[in-house]
């Protein structure tokens, strides 16, 4: 694990542990953790898992708009969530560690809002180098 890098813009932070696959089961990692969603210096959104006791960054996934979804795992008992990429088979499981479950659904919605927000290219000097716009995504009212 590496020391915690400073991110120019932190969008959302909440307490959550991570989980790992053991055969077909998901097993919780007992450590206290933080999920941090932040925009890096390159303007991209990072979904990070931080070990709260060590204050160290363990996982850092760059998420592009509409590339992943964060949702509750219906088959699991308890407060288990998954970050699922639709571009490949990456899956990351988390268990909520916030004291109250009242905000879980709101946190889940916030995660999806931030990871699927279009990348802000306002500071971009060469707009030609950006990806072409997907018109189907623009027709939906968000």
């Amino acid at each position: 694990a590496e020391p915690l890098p400073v991110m120019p813009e932190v969008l959302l932070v909440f307490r959550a542990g991570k989980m790992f696959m053991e055969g077909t089961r998901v097993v919780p990692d007992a450590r206290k953790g933080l999920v941090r969603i932040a925009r890096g210096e390159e303007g991209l959104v990072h979904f990070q898992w931080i070990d709260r006791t060590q204050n160290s960054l363990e996982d850092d996934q760059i998420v592009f708009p509409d590339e992943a979804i964060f949702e509750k795992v219906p088959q699991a008992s308890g407060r288990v969530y998954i970050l699922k990429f639709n571009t490949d088979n990456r899956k990351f499981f988390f268990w909520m560690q916030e004291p109250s479950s009242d905000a879980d659904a709101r946190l889940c919605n916030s995660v999806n809002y931030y990871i699927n927000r279009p990348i802000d290219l306002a500071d971009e000097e060469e707009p030609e180098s950006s990806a072409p716009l997907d018109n189907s995504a623009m027709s939906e009212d968000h």
Side-chain angles (χ1 to χ4, degrees):
E2 54 187 86
L4 206 52
V6 174
M7 296 299 271
E9 186 185 358
V10 174
L11 306 169
L12 181 67
V13 175
F14 59 93
R15 288 172 282 197
K18 64 180 187 172
M19 304 181 82
F20 52 92
M21 291 293 291
E22 209 172 73
T24 56
R25 295 173 35 123
V26 193
V27 182
D29 182 323
R31 294 176 295 169
K32 293 179 175 178
L34 273 181
V35 166
R36 175 170 78 173
I37 298 174
R39 193 178 307 279
E41 287 174 10
E42 74 292 276
L44 301 175
V45 172
H46 292 249
F47 186 104
Q48 302 174 318
W49 188 81
I50 296 160
D51 180 333
R52 269 195 285 161
T53 48
Q54 306 288 323
N55 204 28
S56 63
L57 177 65
E58 199 162 295
D59 294 323
D60 187 357
Q61 301 292 324
I62 291 176
V63 184
F64 292 97
D66 301 320
E67 180 184 42
I69 187 164
F70 188 74
E71 60 189 5
K72 188 164 180 19
V73 177
Q75 305 89 328
S77 60
R79 300 161 67 193
V80 179
Y81 286 77
I82 182 173
L83 176 67
K84 189 166 55 179
F85 286 80
N86 52 33
T87 49
D88 53 40
N89 59 3
R90 284 179 293 163
K91 291 180 174 77
F92 300 92
F93 293 90
F94 301 92
W95 57 286
M96 292 294 193
Q97 292 177 330
E98 287 294 332
S100 166
S101 61
D102 296 350
D104 287 1
R106 197 170 63 242
L107 282 171
C108 184
N109 289 338
S110 297
V111 168
N112 285 307
Y113 171 76
Y114 288 119
I115 65 175
N116 289 305
R117 250 178 37 188
I119 296 171
D120 184 8
L121 296 174
D123 307 326
E124 194 69 44
E125 285 163 22
E126 301 174 57
E128 306 82 47
S129 66
S130 65
L133 291 174
D134 177 3
N135 291 329
S136 66
M138 298 178 89
S139 63
E140 297 171 41
D141 281 324
H142 286 300

